[in-house]
Amino acid sequence: MGSTELLISLDREGGATLQQQVCDQVTALVHAGRLRPGDALPASRELAAQLGVSRTVIIRAYELLRARGIVTARRGSGTRVAELPAGPVPSGTGRSGTVQTVPSPPRPTDGGDPLWQPWEPPPVLRHPGNVLDFRHGTPALAAFPVARWRQSLHEAYGRADAATLGYGPAEGSAALRAQIAALVRQSRAVDAAPENIMVTGGATQALDILVRLLVRPGDVVVIEDPSHTVLRQVFGCSDAAVVPVPVDEEGLRVADIDAAVRAHGHDPERVRLVYVTPSHQFPTGFIMSKRRRRALIAWACERGATVLEDDYHNEFTFTAERLPALAAERHHGTVVYVGSFSKTLFPALRIGYAVLPPHLVRPFLGIKWITDRLSPAVSQEALADFIATGAYARHISRMSRLYRQRRMRLLEALYEHFGAEVRVSGEAAGLHVLVTFTGARGVPEREIVDRAAAHGVRIYPASGYFVLGPPPEPTFLVGYAALTTARITEGVALLNRAVREAAPRT
């Protein structure tokens, strides 16, 4: 790629020299992913003219960048961004022995900071050849009833009036909010009035608004460890300290919250938000026990904190006992329940919702109004029709049967090929399982990823989701929802070959 104009702004009244400012800002552009390895920097004469400084300033700045290893300079190819080595997360100015969990501004999906990796893997719209993709987070889109959904869209547009096509209410369609209220009451035991339900652009927007609403500088947000990196970015971009607390087979270790917060140099009294995924913890798949749920609500009530319940994958549970939502407990206004239709219907729908305690409705609505004014009204009306006519319930029933078959085939195939050298968690719910290859201890996850790719299999490492203690054995998120049973069988056989190649045994 050719050189381009750089977004650099110099403070001519500041204390730093101009060449130092150029050096620092180019370094920041590289670390933010705005400049990537191999990108060409402008010639010194061009950049000097752009910034209105002498060429000597730019030459010295480029010399500083070369000394830092940020750029390389070769005759005939100019000055280019260097290949940056993958190293440990900088310790910054935090306390010794603590983990830095507040990032700089959001990085692109191929950013190099291991603390915030891996991001949600980018979509592959057309796989080359016959690639088997165990991507997690993707439902069985080929089985979605497009024709039936088209009917609901047709009905919604047929009924659309000036209010529907105009700037509707920021809280969302009244019809959809009423249907969501019925859904969460029947399936999750959450007794919510429609006026306490806010429709959002997916669950992520609901989380973002709640952080803006509840968190102030100096406050603390508690997250699960491991957890999704996108959510860590949502919280990390606030002015709060983000503190990871480990999970185990019963969910978030509530008794460890105070100690974890103090270990990071903060007062537990400043915890304002606790994020949990009790129905299907991401990525472990553990389901929070009744004992832990009661303990968390009691802790939040005592501290005056809000519990943010992301009801991740609650619709697809494969055990006999299905626990109600955490928000179904007597929580005294401390729990906010967030859900979406991305996994049950299709991600491009971008409709989520938040069930709020009454005291948060008006302030939440105020932020929602200024962030996007409204979510698309016709899609909401179509979704309300889809639910009201029973099409949604029938779709969930069909998908549950389909996912149960695919999940069972995946588990059978894993144990057939790996036997006692595999450990699986999260099989009780959701659309993925967490798979640990215990017989490949010491083998880097990347080695298995590369060997699997050579056999036409895409698989996704899990260690980057852990903040404090990544698993000692190679561990992967294995999604199965979008693969047929035949493809799952073929994929696990190829994966077995890849693991054996990466960890040969006598």
Side-chain angles (χ1 to χ4, degrees), residues 9 24 80 103 119 147 194 274 323 336 341 348 354 378 409 429 447 476:
S9 177
D24 290 344
R80 294 182 178 271
W119 285 65
V274 180
L323 294 177
V336 173
F341 296 93
V378 178
R409 178 78 286 263
E447 175 73 13
F476 299 87

Side-chain angles (χ1 to χ4, degrees), residues 195-215:
E195 55 266 26
N196 291 348
I197 296 173
M198 302 289 110
V199 178
T200 60
T204 305
Q205 187 191 40
L207 304 183
D208 177 56
I209 292 175
L210 288 163
V211 171
R212 298 179 192 223
L213 173 61
L214 297 172
V215 174

